[in-house]
Amino acid sequence: MPEKIFQKEIVSDPELLPEVESFIMDIVLKNNIDEDLYNSIALSVAEAASNSIIHGNKLDEKKTVRITVKIDEEKMIIIFRDQGEGFDPEKIPDPTTPENILKDNGRGIHIMRTYLDGLKYNFTPGGTETILELNFARES
């Protein structure tokens, strides 16, 4: 299948998170993606969208999050572009260490890394891109 591209833009309102998840899961269903991947996609999308709205754009409804989904026969790439200043991924504490295990925050990146085949960040003067990659040919 040739690459398909889908886009959506939302304001930074956490009330729109279900709309983002529906947008992406509708793409997943219409493109016959293996249902074993549904939870991986849904959890990762929820984390990335939430991080873009809350941490990236600081809940500023004047700022937007652009979602781009690219699908071909081998993989799905989902890009969340916020208008935030970015962060240093190396400074995010490991939520699995004893001193962090009971903390309420800091698990999103760990969750995404667990469920995805690739998680990258692209920091630009105009904002941060969170790039999620999921390969369809996975080893069991």
Side-chain angles (χ1 to χ4, degrees):
M1 109 176 67
E3 183 178 67
K4 297 178 187 177
I5 298 174
F6 306 87
Q7 290 191 316
K8 181 175 189 67
E9 189 169 276
I10 61 163
V11 296
S12 294
D13 179 356
E15 297 288 322
L16 297 176
L17 289 171
E19 184 179 319
V20 171
E21 187 171 336
S22 289
F23 166 69
I24 292 173
M25 296 315 288
D26 189 48
I27 293 168
V28 167
L29 291 171
K30 287 181 179 170
N31 285 278
N32 300 315
I33 295 172
D34 187 342
E35 67 182 64
D36 288 343
L37 300 177
Y38 287 9
N39 285 339
S40 297
I41 295 168
L43 284 167
S44 299
V45 162
E47 287 297 335
S50 167
N51 286 348
S52 291
I53 290 170
I54 296 168
H55 302 295
N57 288 344
K58 311 272 190 246
L59 298 169
D60 181 348
E61 290 190 28
K62 290 185 228 101
K63 294 182 177 180
T64 60
V65 176
R66 175 177 288 277
I67 302 113
T68 303
V69 180
K70 299 177 182 182
I71 296 180
D72 63 26
E73 57 207 28
E74 296 176 4
K75 66 184 173 290
M76 177 179 202
I77 295 174
I78 306 167
I79 303 166
F80 291 87
R81 181 180 177 82
D82 62 48
Q83 295 175 303
E85 296 176 13
F87 67 102
D88 183 350
E90 300 302 316
K91 291 188 177 176
I92 303 297
D94 180 350
T96 64
T97 60
E99 65 271 16
N100 295 324
I101 204 91
L102 297 176
K103 290 185 179 176
D104 288 337
N105 59 0
R107 289 179 173 70
I109 291 174
H110 179 74
I111 288 169
M112 289 187 288
R113 284 187 176 137
T114 300
Y115 287 106
L116 298 169
D117 296 303
L119 176 64
K120 296 182 246 176
Y121 297 95
N122 184 24
F123 303 103
T124 71
T128 300
E129 289 181 334
T130 303
I131 304 163
L132 289 59
E133 186 173 321
L134 198 69
N135 298 325
F136 297 142
R138 301 178 117 191
E139 293 182 24
S140 302

